[in-house]
Amino acid sequence: MSIENLKTYDPFAEADEEDSGQTKQTQEYIHIRIQQRNGRKTLTTVQGIPKKFDAKKILKVAKKEFACNGTIIGDEDSKMGDVIQLQGDQRAKIKDFLTNKDEGLGLDAKTIKVHGF
Amino acid sequence: MDSGEPSHQRRTSRKSVAFTDQKIVVDADGSVTMVASPTDEIKETAQSHSARTPPLVAALGAFTDAPQATDAQDAAAPAADDGLDLSLMKKKKKKVKKEEDADADAADEAAPAESDGAIDLTMKKKKKKKAAKEDDEFAKKLEALNLEGKEGEEATPQEDEQDGDWEQGTGIWAHDETKTITYNPLLSRFFALLSQKNPDHASTGTRSYKIPPPQCLREGNKKTIFANLPEICKRMKRADEHVTSYLFAELGTSGSVDGSRRLVIKGRFQQKQIENVLRTYIIEYVTCKTCRSPNTELSKGENRLYFITCNSCGSRRSVQAIKTGFSAQVGKRRKMQG
């Protein structure tokens, strides 16, 4: 029989793990935003795509499928990660693409937040 | 919502937040009253009592709040359920039977070595027979179900006695008819009459939260003036700055407040677009998630978190701070460093 009190355990280990799990859940949102340019032109930005997906490949497919141009903007601050920027209002289309299980990434629609009007 | 433009009504009908044309009076102490609908709360409860027809209830689903459940609603729900259940059962039954048929057919095909035509014939016959049989079974089950359902009520032997058109006053609805009318036809008649007499109830069945529609003017070519922001903020009991920052974050622009406290937004925006953003704002930062009451307060709690406290149910929840997120460089080129 072992004495419970003498067990060695790190009191911070578990808490740390829990913390990271929580922050993961809250920060997992993918933000789809829209920005107005001059005239009736707009930009769509997608921020927060999980690291396991290759942004370049997503962009390539998106460009082909939506018939629009776009770029990847790597932020120097590294706060927001790679941001995919597409020309025109592609919010609905990119959301479909991200959530589509067969042809898209099959992400959960709850993790995606569409902003804008 | 009595006399708004029809198109406007239709569009906002399904939303929980409505933009009303009624004039609101904002008192000095911050209390807000609607002119056209003097007692706002009473009207709201009345709506929730009467207007929730079964389909609406089903559609609302999650939105119906338990404490507000009314007698009418309770009565309506089981009726709708019955209908649904029956139809579902019918479908399921048929499918299952068909599968069984297919199995049986397969067995038939395997056992007697006959020509294709013969097999086809037998298959057809079998199916017909089975279908007939199944119909009988189903009818029996239906009857049983009906009987079960009407246990608590007065003895009602058959359903087909309860026919007739209540609009023309025929059958059981005739003036000198003495037969007891069962609950279900009465209920359906009640709801039919209700929706007939009050057509706007069906559309505004949800308790909607009404704020004045945003007034948008165009200033020059590239700026939009949001004229009644202070009014709307007062109605929502939120700080102007909070709403403004949310608007800017969502629209991805910037702007300023002019001399007469109107908001000047960079970029062209229509009233509809602003409405949409305000709607999301209200859902996120105004309505209580527990009781859906808009009577809430936003306060800055400890360690820089914002909390919404509900004044009607007392719940408290934290809300996310407004984040602008990534915004691309639009227009002028970024200034070169150094």
Side-chain angles (χ1 to χ4, degrees), chain A:
Chain A
M1 212 177 121
S2 63
I3 301 163
E4 291 291 314
N5 284 352
L6 293 183
K7 267 184 183 167
T8 54
Y9 82 102
D10 186 6
F12 298 105
E14 226 174 89
D16 264 350
E17 267 175 28
E18 270 175 24
D19 251 7
S20 64
Q22 276 180 355
T23 47
K24 228 183 195 176
Q25 273 186 348
T26 49
Q27 285 182 347
E28 239 178 343
Y29 282 119
I30 297 170
H31 299 275
I32 301 175
R33 294 199 178 77
I34 190 162
Q35 259 186 299
Q36 280 197 336
R37 286 177 57 221
N38 42 359
R40 45 179 296 172
K41 291 174 182 170
T42 48
L43 279 179
T44 308
T45 57
V46 185
Q47 180 196 329
I49 287 179
K51 287 264 161 50
K52 60 177 176 179
F53 298 111
D54 189 355
K56 254 186 194 169
K57 280 184 180 162
I58 294 171
L59 179 72
K60 200 160 201 176
V61 176
K63 276 164 76 170
K64 183 122 184 171
E65 205 153 297
F66 313 150
C68 69
N69 208 345
T71 55
I72 294 168
I73 297 170
D75 230 335
E76 292 91 49
D77 308 338
S78 74
K79 212 177 176 184
M80 312 188 203
D82 281 348
V83 177
I84 294 180
Q85 179 178 313
L86 297 164
Q87 291 177 3
D89 185 358
Q90 318 286 354
R91 286 176 298 166
K93 288 184 203 166
I94 194 80
K95 197 190 172 195
D96 277 351
F97 174 76
L98 290 177
T99 51
N100 196 332
K101 281 202 178 95
D102 302 325
E103 290 157 31
L105 303 184
L107 291 166
D108 191 2
K110 276 179 226 154
T111 62
I112 299 172
K113 270 196 178 174
V114 180
H115 297 265
F117 33 83

